Structures are given as structure tokens and as C-alpha cells.
Amino acid sequence: MRKHLSPGLVLLLLFFVAAAALPFFVDPRGHLLRVAAMALLFAAMAQSWNIVGGLANQVSLGHAAFFGLGAYTSTLLFLRFGISPWIGMFAGAALAAFAAALLSFPTFRLKGHYFALATLAFAEVLRVIANSWASVTGGPVGLSIPFLGTKPELFAFRAVSSYYWIILALLVIVCLAFRLLARGAIGYRLRAVRENENAAEVAGVDTFRVKLTASIISAAFTALCGTVFAQFTFFFDPDSIFALSGISVRMAMIAIVGGLGTLGGPIIGALFLIPLEEVANAYLSSAAAGLSQFVFGAILVAAILIQPRGLMAYWPKSKAGRLARKDAKPVTPATPATEGGR
Amino acid sequence: MVQALVDGVLLGGVYGVIATGLSLVFGVLGVVNFAHAEFLMLGMYVAWFAWRYLGLDPLLGSVLSFIIVFGVGYVVQRTLIERVLKAPPAAQVFLTVGLLIAIENAALMVFGSEFRSVSVPYQVEGYRLAGIFISAPYLYAFAAAVILSAALWFFLDRSWTGRAIRAVAQDPMASALVGVDTKRTYGLAFGLGVALTAFGGAVILPYITVSPTIGGQFVVLMFTVVVLGGLGSVAGALVGGIVVGVVQSMSALVFPIQLQNLCLFVIFIAVLALRPQGLIKGA
């Protein structure tokens, strides 16, 4: 492991240390810490997405499905049976992993647009179910988690800083998982699938199994994030937790703006986008309804057009940076469309 | 039962036109336009304003929708979509999703969040035929959809531009070699695709209210239709539209209204899994 300690990794470790120290320097109940916690949570979500979206290039537009499953499972277990969300979150992760496996069977052959469409529809199915199966899910009004003061065993705290540290720990774990996966044998197989699935299959990679493993791990982590989100915000409803633009797209967008398939990408993306959105919300939402969301959409369009490899491309030593420089040098002025037409 | 079948066919014909636009864009440009339903919303607003301030019936206003949205689509394609035509699918997906969010919220800012509907004299009228009630707005919208489809077929089959569009869809390089301006053709095809959808949006205005979020209700429907008919197949989209319309009105007999879309989603995933090339081959 030691020989892999690149400057980027050192920077990442320093970032985690600095992030862990942040609550000592700002108001532990303040708004700033809430925003920071949200940014770290979205970083963890984007990193979870990155496992399947970045490493295997299976662009999912339905990760809100797993996020919502996590939030609903732990919250319902707690509200109905008094089971601590600490246990509930792993039940949620297990359920999400199962759902991911189930979804893999009809979608594993799908690529690119088709995969994105199928996952999008899957999240929509869950949203419709959560809305209409009111006797179990509480229906469109959503679920509220009662305020309990500080009860660590029930995942309830008075101070924002406690949630903040839990979220940070989750982010560290997801990042660790991402790195282990990316560096391990499965990472090479996933990259082989990404570059050329048929060639990978011929070379003896069990592509279905590799993708299945990645999507199960990705879904489980996303569900953990869902539980933490529910506990942190105390309230959620079907339309917000299974939201296409609010959750599914945002997870992917953070990873893409930061740098698809890179370890640091989701963190940089979240630290850039979530505060930006917060500022946009604070200053623009009073100006006109929809303006902040409009800005969000416009940033996504701009990010894709300006630097499709994400902010990581500006870090010269990263792979994204090398690839971006390669992009900048066109091979021939007019490359024929080999992929687009058909 | 027969009643539901008739309603389904009438609804589905319009779904067909709406989805034809999406299919055309994919067939020619190779881009799945996630923002497509937003152009439906724009078309509906154009028709609504034409009704409110010019006194135009939405069936006539739909022509205006077609023209205006065609222009918007052409500009969007030439300035944004064109730049990701050769990019990997992920970039295309996110560009159009970004566009979806931007257009929806721009509409929210400009038009406000209230629901708007038109009132036309034939709104609640209908014809009785052998015990079946045929709703006038459904029938007129269906007729308009059929006329436009015929016009589209004629255009693609006979006109020089239509042939150029089909040529570019088959082989952009070869078309460029024989003198087709491919960039312009891509722009025209995209404009035409979104204009068809906008037209479909306008003709359903007599029975569906418009709001900035109306696109979201049509996204999955549209994609289901297109996937059923085969992505990129224009004729398939029309058939797919009618199938979806019938499924939708039939399922309304069995399931409560909230679960109607659920049926659609399940069909959608099933079709993607079993026959991603579409139920109807060729065309």
C-alpha cells in the first residue's frame, strides 16, 4: 500500500483530517456546519454512484431508488417496531443490494442510454409505489422522525457536529471501498468492461458478475447514505427522496463535474456544487421560483461542454488530467462519427 | 371495454406523434434527448398563449407551436447538442438532463407554477356511435395527429430535405460526400423532432392542463412508446403510441388511477430487458 501514497492521496488524507477538525472551528449548531455535512453526504453518495457509474461506465439515472430504500427501511423499522436506525440502516443496505441484484437481471445487457432509461424507470416505479401504498409508506405526506434529543443508540443527536462526524466517517469508508475496488482485481475487470465489454468477455471476464458485484456494493452504500440523510433531516417524502433531478441526477452530476471514475472527483464535485447551490438558493430563491434550479441545470450543461472529464482534469497528475490533455490534441481534424450515426 | 379500447386508440395516436419526434431525434442524431418532454411543455404554452391572446383554437395554435418550437429546437441543436454528438453517451445523457432541468425551471420562472387550461366549445361534447361515446377533443386531437403523421411521412419520403435527413441518419459521411450539409441537416432534424412533439402537446391542450412540470408526466410515457416501437423507428413510434394508449386506458379499468403509470413503467423495463430493439422491427 505504501508505494501507492501519491501526492493526491496525501492531499486527500489531509482533507479528511481538516474536515474532521472543522466542527471545532465553527459554530457546532450553525448553518455552516449543516451545509458542510450535506456536502460530505453528497460526496459519499456520488462516490457510491461512482463505483458503478465511473468504474464500469454504467450510467445510472436511478440511484435515488436505493437512496430511498435506505431511508424508508430504517425509518419504517424504527417508527413501526422501534428498531434502532443503526440496525435499520444495514437492513436498508441489504434490501437495496437485493433490489440492485434484481434490477441487474433485466438490465445487465443494456448499455449507455438504455441502461440510463431502465434505471430511471426503476426509481420512478419506487416513487409511485411509495406514493400510492400509503398504509405502509405513509403515502405522499412523507415520514417524520420524532426529535428525541441526544440518544446515540437511536441515531439521534442534538448537535449537528455528531451527524457531521458520522457522515464524514461514512464518506471515508465509501472512499476506501472505492479505492480498494478500483485497485483490486475487480477494478481491472470493471475497467475492461468499460473500455470494451465484448473484448472483456472474450478475455475471460465474467462481465455480468463483475457488474453485478459493483452495482450491489454501490446500491448498499447509497442506501446507507439514505438512512443517514433521513436521520439528519428528520423528514422526507416520496417525491423528494426518489427525485430524478434532486437525487439521481445530482449524485451523478457531482461525480461528473468532479471527475468520473476518479477517487477525488466526487469530493471535489460535492465541495464545489453543494455550497454553490446553497448560495444560489439563499440569494436567488427569493428572486424567482425556479431560478436556483435553472442555474443548477445550466451548470450541468456548461460542465459537460467545457470540461467533460470534470474538475479533476485540472489536477495535472491525475488520470483525468492526462486524458483531458490527450483530448486537447485532436488526432485528425475531422474524425468521422463512428458511434453517433446508426 | 370497447369504450376503453376506443379511448386508448384516440389517446395513443397523439402519443404516437409526441414520441415520433423523440424517435426521429434518436434515429438521425443518435442522441437520446432526455429534455424532449420539455419541448412538449413549450408547445403547450405556445398554444395556450395563442388561445388566450389571439383567440386561436389549440388545434390551429398547434401550427404556431410547431413553427416556434422548431426554431427553438434548431438553435438548441446548433449551439448545444451539436457539440456532444461525438461524445460518449454519458456526456449526451447529462447534457440533455441539464437542459431538462434548465428548461423546466425557466418555464417556472416565466410562466409561474399555476395550471392553465383552455376552454373550447367542443370540450365536453362527443359523438355516440353504437353505444360508444367518442369524446370530441380526443377525436380532433387524434385527427390532427394523423394528418401531421401523414405530412411527416410525405416530407421524409418525397422532399429533398426529408431525403437528406434520412440519408444522414444512415451514413453521415456518405451524405456529406454527395453534398448534404450534415450540420444543417442535424439541426433541421432536431428542430423537426421537437416541433412534432410540441404539436402533439398543443392538440391535447383541450383535455390536459399545462404547467411547467407537465414534461415530467410525459417523460416515461414517451420513452415507453419509443422503446416499444424501437428506438429510432418513426413508424414504430406511431404503433407504440397506440399500444401504450390502449394499455393505459385498459389498465384504468382494473387499477386505481395512481397505479396507471406503474403499469407503464413495468412494461417499459420488461421491453427494455426482453426486446431492446423494439417490438416492431425495421421501418
Side-chain angles (χ1 to χ4, degrees):
Chain A
M1 209 59 190
R2 200 176 173 82
K3 65 177 182 192
H4 296 315
L5 216 59
S6 62
L9 211 56
V10 172
L11 212 64
L12 190 67
L13 292 175
L14 281 177
F15 163 74
F16 283 141
V17 172
L22 182 76
F24 297 114
F25 298 101
V26 298
D27 177 9
R29 290 175 187 213
H31 184 65
L32 186 66
L33 200 58
R34 285 197 78 84
V35 175
M38 219 29 130
L40 294 182
L41 181 59
F42 269 98
M45 288 158 66
Q47 192 70 280
S48 312
W49 183 90
N50 208 14
I51 290 173
V52 62
L55 290 181
N57 205 14
Q58 289 282 78
V59 175
S60 157
L61 281 181
H63 259 53
F66 310 123
F67 188 70
L69 276 177
Y72 265 103
T73 308
S74 66
T75 308
L76 287 173
L77 284 176
F78 175 63
L79 292 178
R80 301 248 194 278
F81 306 106
I83 296 170
S84 164
W86 286 112
I87 299 166
M89 76 191 276
F90 292 100
L95 190 64
F98 178 70
L102 211 61
L103 183 67
S104 288
F105 286 99
T107 59
F108 80 101
R109 277 184 306 158
L110 305 176
K111 292 191 189 88
H113 311 116
Y114 289 104
F115 184 79
L117 282 170
T119 50
L120 185 150
F122 179 64
E124 285 291 293
V125 166
L126 292 189
R127 188 176 65 84
V128 172
I129 292 175
N131 263 322
S132 45
W133 198 11
S135 57
V136 172
T137 62
V141 284
L143 290 173
S144 297
I145 295 161
F147 182 71
L148 301 165
T150 298
K151 287 229 174 82
E153 72 279 11
L154 290 180
F155 207 131
F157 306 94
R158 210 173 276 277
V160 177
S161 52
S162 310
Y163 292 106
Y164 176 89
W165 279 314
I166 291 170
I167 289 170
L168 183 63
L170 183 61
L171 174 62
V172 171
I173 292 169
V174 181
C175 286
L176 207 62
F178 179 86
R179 190 172 157 82
L180 287 176
L181 283 172
R183 293 269 161 163
I186 191 169
Y188 287 100
R189 296 202 184 101
L190 281 170
R191 276 194 291 274
V193 170
R194 178 177 67 190
E195 299 307 334
N196 188 333
E197 188 159 348
N198 294 333
E201 187 81 52
V202 171
V205 175
D206 186 346
T207 53
F208 176 55
R209 213 177 125 167
V210 168
K211 283 196 280 184
L212 182 68
T213 314
S215 47
I216 285 177
I217 295 171
S218 170
F221 277 121
T222 308
L224 294 181
C225 295
T227 300
V228 175
F229 177 84
Q231 293 300 125
F232 182 51
T233 56
F234 289 99
F235 169 79
F236 60 91
D237 61 16
D239 288 343
S240 66
I241 205 106
F242 290 117
L244 172 65
S245 78
I247 306 293
S248 294
V249 172
R250 190 169 303 176
M251 284 168 82
M253 175 178 166
I254 288 168
I256 287 172
V257 168
L260 197 63
T262 61
L263 178 63
I267 298 172
I268 294 176
L271 289 183
F272 173 69
L273 282 175
I274 302 295
L276 191 75
E277 258 188 88
E278 198 62 37
V279 172
N281 266 328
Y283 290 100
L284 302 179
S285 58
S286 54
L291 183 57
S292 59
Q293 278 293 303
F294 172 76
V295 171
F296 176 72
I299 290 173
L300 183 49
V301 171
I304 295 290
L305 291 181
I306 296 167
Q307 183 48 276
R309 295 201 185 273
L311 290 171
M312 277 297 273
Y314 299 111
W315 169 253
K317 286 206 165 74
S318 77
K319 187 160 168 274
R322 283 200 303 278
L323 288 170
R325 278 193 301 282
K326 222 166 82 184
D327 290 346
K329 278 181 249 158
V331 190
T332 41
T335 320
T338 44
E339 247 182 299
R342 184 171 65 82
Chain B
M1 192 69 181
V2 181
Q3 176 74 56
L5 190 69
V6 171
D7 282 349
V9 170
L10 292 180
L11 282 175
V14 183
Y15 293 165
V17 166
I18 291 172
T20 300
L22 181 62
S23 208
L24 186 72
V25 168
F26 180 79
V28 180
L29 285 84
V31 172
V32 172
N33 182 16
F34 282 87
H36 209 82
E38 301 310 312
F39 294 97
L40 174 104
M41 183 260 303
L42 290 181
M44 291 179 85
Y45 271 109
V46 170
W48 188 86
F49 281 105
W51 169 78
R52 181 75 177 76
Y53 295 106
L54 303 175
L56 275 180
D57 186 288
L59 292 172
L60 296 173
S62 62
V63 178
L64 214 56
S65 299
F66 187 93
I67 294 166
I68 291 177
V69 174
F70 178 85
V72 174
Y74 186 81
V75 172
V76 165
Q77 201 282 332
R78 293 306 298 264
T79 53
L80 301 172
I81 310 276
E82 190 177 284
R83 301 171 60 178
V84 294
L85 279 184
K86 286 164 196 163
Q92 299 175 350
V93 167
F94 286 102
L95 180 84
T96 53
V97 168
L99 210 55
L100 181 161
I101 299 169
I103 297 176
E104 182 177 320
N105 288 286
L108 189 63
M109 284 191 280
V110 177
F111 305 129
S113 61
E114 67 265 32
F115 290 81
R116 296 165 196 254
S117 55
V118 296
S119 65
V120 284
Y122 52 84
Q123 209 141 27
V124 290
E125 278 175 23
Y127 303 95
R128 287 210 165 272
L129 204 76
I132 300 160
F133 180 77
I134 298 171
S135 147
Y138 282 20
L139 182 68
Y140 297 158
F142 180 78
V146 169
I147 294 169
L148 189 69
S149 302
L152 174 71
W153 179 83
F154 199 75
F155 170 76
L156 287 179
D157 200 58
R158 298 291 152 84
S159 77
W160 196 88
T161 318
R163 286 179 190 187
I165 287 176
R166 286 189 299 138
V168 170
Q170 274 181 10
D171 192 334
M173 277 286 270
S175 333
L177 284 174
V178 295
V180 175
D181 181 349
T182 51
K183 285 193 169 178
R184 187 171 154 270
T185 309
Y186 279 138
L188 291 175
F190 189 86
L192 185 63
V194 294
L196 285 166
T197 302
F199 178 91
V203 297
I204 58 175
L205 198 57
Y207 58 89
I208 291 182
T209 54
V210 58
S211 72
T213 53
I214 186 81
Q217 297 173 31
F218 277 90
V219 169
V220 175
L221 187 141
M222 229 183 233
F223 280 115
T224 312
V225 170
V226 168
V227 167
L228 265 174
L231 212 50
S233 153
V234 169
L238 289 173
V239 181
I242 292 178
V243 171
V244 166
V246 170
V247 167
Q248 211 183 28
S249 67
M250 288 291 198
S251 65
L253 296 175
V254 190
F255 300 111
I257 190 96
Q258 310 96 300
L259 292 185
Q260 244 188 56
N261 275 333
L262 199 62
C263 270
L264 222 55
F265 293 135
V266 173
I267 294 175
F268 178 65
I269 296 182
V271 172
L272 269 182
L274 301 173
R275 281 191 71 87
Q277 71 273 45
L279 293 181
I280 306 118
K281 264 194 174 171

